[in-house]
Amino acid sequence: MDKSFLDWPFFETRHRELSAALEDWCAVHLPVDHRDVDAACRGLVAGLGQAGFLRHSGADAGEALDVRSLCLIRETLARHDALADFAFAMQGLGMGAVSLFGTEAQRAWLEKTRAGRAISAFALTEPGAGSDVASTATLAARAPGGWRLSGEKTYISNGGIADLYVVFARTGEAPGARGLSAFLMPADSPGLTIAERIEVIAPHPLARLKLDGVVLPDAALIGRPGEGFKIAMSVLDVFRPTVGAAALGMARRALDEALARVRRPRTGGGMLADHQIVQGHLADMAVRVDAAALLVYRAAWTKDMGAPRITREAAMAKLYATEAAQEVIDAALQLHGGDGVRKGFAVEALYRDIRALRIYEGASDVQRVVIARSVLG
């Protein structure tokens, strides 16, 4: 695989060393057996924790998350095994609120997730509030010494295997987005049940949660009451470029698979790569890969250089990289002919893996709205 992008000025020596170390780990440990996704995810979290890579999924008090490292790790893992990327990503996204806003006591959980000894989840989406976070209906009412939460969350990654959830609920300080708060909710909290396990085209742990009077102490509140929307958007600001990075990793893999396929000798002589129409497809794929990489690492570098918010850059990175990856993977599948849709071929798995990335953490059309509002200013 072409790794010349690591020489771009976005990266430092430590990033190149991290990439090399992770490549070595992936060569030994990936891909994993996906037949039992719960067990696979638990094993991946433990393995990534033991190898030290999950240290990058959180930040110590007073430190910032290194978004370039997050992106490099997600890109590399996604190129080898999409489930490995998922396992890493959810440790970061799930505990992003604690990394950015958590108390010293809450950071005890962060140390567990960064070591691979606990699995985290980010519980934001609801049946009636997907991209429209301001419509969150889960309620958190004052109770003696804390809060009582009631409502539903759905499409929650790691739902059913997580040890703790960061859950967003309406505390009512103001209408809409200004009346939300964030809470740290252990999975064994009385009143929390897994109402449904959800199966999707690229299997991973996913569930609908029911909160029936879950009582949490005041110490479970992340930040201050009414800051939930700000917390959620701050977390997504950091992690949206990493979704683009995961898509980029899948696109790179698809391009590599396509190149290997078209270079194979054909019966009667020659290769598919000899045809100009095939070369045109490969050129388009290569351009999309490089353009996605530039947008992803521009966003990551901007955040790492101290920008307080990268809403526009993150939206552009996620939108372009995920849409471009879908096109690159589709082209790679087409170049494989009938084998492209056969189980056991990498491009068939990539075709299923990429689709959700255009939806979660803000669907593509939502990113378009974010970008348009920024342009209109």
Side-chain angles (χ1 to χ4, degrees):
M1 192 201 93
D2 180 13
K3 289 241 175 169
S4 59
F5 75 96
L6 288 170
D7 293 325
W8 291 352
F10 294 125
F11 302 109
E12 302 169 22
T13 299
R14 61 190 175 88
H15 295 116
R16 289 182 277 274
E17 292 172 347
L18 171 63
S19 176
L22 183 56
E23 283 289 353
D24 290 343
W25 186 88
C26 290
V28 174
H29 296 93
L30 299 181
V32 298
D33 188 338
H34 290 195
R35 285 176 293 183
D36 183 340
V37 292
D38 288 4
C41 284
R42 290 188 181 102
L44 285 163
V45 168
L48 287 164
Q50 290 166 7
F53 295 112
L54 284 178
R55 299 302 300 174
H56 298 278
S57 69
D60 293 327
E63 294 183 351
L65 287 159
D66 185 334
V67 188
R68 285 170 293 173
S69 291
L70 287 170
C71 287
L72 277 172
I73 292 171
R74 290 203 64 179
E75 178 187 336
T76 303
L77 291 174
R79 183 162 42 81
H80 287 274
D81 185 341
L83 197 62
D85 163 64
F86 167 85
F88 173 84
M90 286 313 304
Q91 295 297 90
L93 179 67
M95 292 299 281
V98 175
S99 281
L100 298 174
F101 299 95
T103 64
E104 184 176 351
Q106 290 165 348
R107 286 178 175 278
W109 275 110
L110 183 60
E111 284 308 300
K112 292 180 182 178
T113 61
R114 293 174 76 188
R117 293 185 284 108
I119 295 175
S120 66
F122 186 74
L124 179 62
T125 301
E126 296 186 2
S131 298
D132 184 11
V133 177
S135 295
T136 294
T138 296
L139 294 176
R142 275 291 186 184
W147 302 84
R148 184 183 300 274
L149 279 64
S150 299
E152 283 192 7
K153 297 292 180 179
T154 194
Y155 291 107
I156 304 306
S157 294
N158 278 344
I161 69 168
D163 297 291
L164 72 158
Y165 300 83
V166 169
V167 60
F168 294 84
R170 183 164 300 285
T171 46
E173 287 73 22
R178 293 177 296 169
L180 305 178
S181 298
F183 299 88
L184 196 59
M185 179 176 67
D188 59 1
S189 299
L192 170 62
T193 57
I194 306 301
E196 178 188 10
R197 289 297 297 270
I198 302 171
E199 294 190 16
V200 288
I201 58 175
H204 64 270
L206 198 67
R208 177 167 60 90
L209 314 179
K210 186 174 182 180
L211 286 66
D212 187 7
V214 176
V215 176
L216 298 175
D218 277 324
L221 181 68
I222 302 172
R224 292 191 294 270
E227 290 187 336
F229 185 81
K230 180 186 81 171
I231 290 171
M233 293 304 104
S234 296
V235 171
L236 292 175
D237 227 29
V238 170
F239 284 94
R240 274 177 178 160
T242 78
V243 180
L248 173 62
M250 294 180 195
R252 288 197 199 277
R253 175 66 181 274
L255 178 57
D256 286 347
E257 294 289 333
L259 288 169
R261 183 75 177 194
V262 302
R263 285 168 171 158
R264 283 170 39 176
R266 304 180 73 197
T267 302
M271 303 177 295
L272 278 176
D274 296 330
H275 297 278
Q276 285 187 336
I277 192 167
V278 171
Q279 294 170 11
H281 289 310
L282 294 171
D284 288 342
M285 294 162 74
V287 170
R288 289 185 176 108
V289 166
D290 271 19
L294 286 164
L295 283 169
V296 165
Y297 289 111
R298 188 270 300 258
W301 177 85
T302 301
K303 185 64 175 175
D304 287 344
M305 292 302 102
R309 296 295 301 269
I310 54 165
T311 303
R312 172 176 168 161
E313 293 87 348
M316 287 183 172
K318 183 184 187 296
L319 171 64
Y320 185 84
T322 56
E323 295 288 332
Q326 182 84 58
E327 294 172 351
V328 169
I329 292 166
D330 186 71
L333 187 151
Q334 194 75 7
L335 290 171
H336 275 69
D339 287 340
V341 293
R342 285 183 62 187
K343 291 281 188 180
F345 280 78
V347 290
E348 182 273 336
L350 288 167
Y351 195 80
R352 290 182 287 107
D353 288 329
I354 189 57
R355 190 59 185 85
L357 276 66
R358 294 167 59 201
I359 298 173
Y360 71 65
E361 292 186 42
S364 290
D365 284 340
V366 172
Q367 304 313 310
R368 290 184 175 98
V369 171
V370 171
I371 294 165
R373 286 175 178 172
S374 173
V375 172
L376 291 167

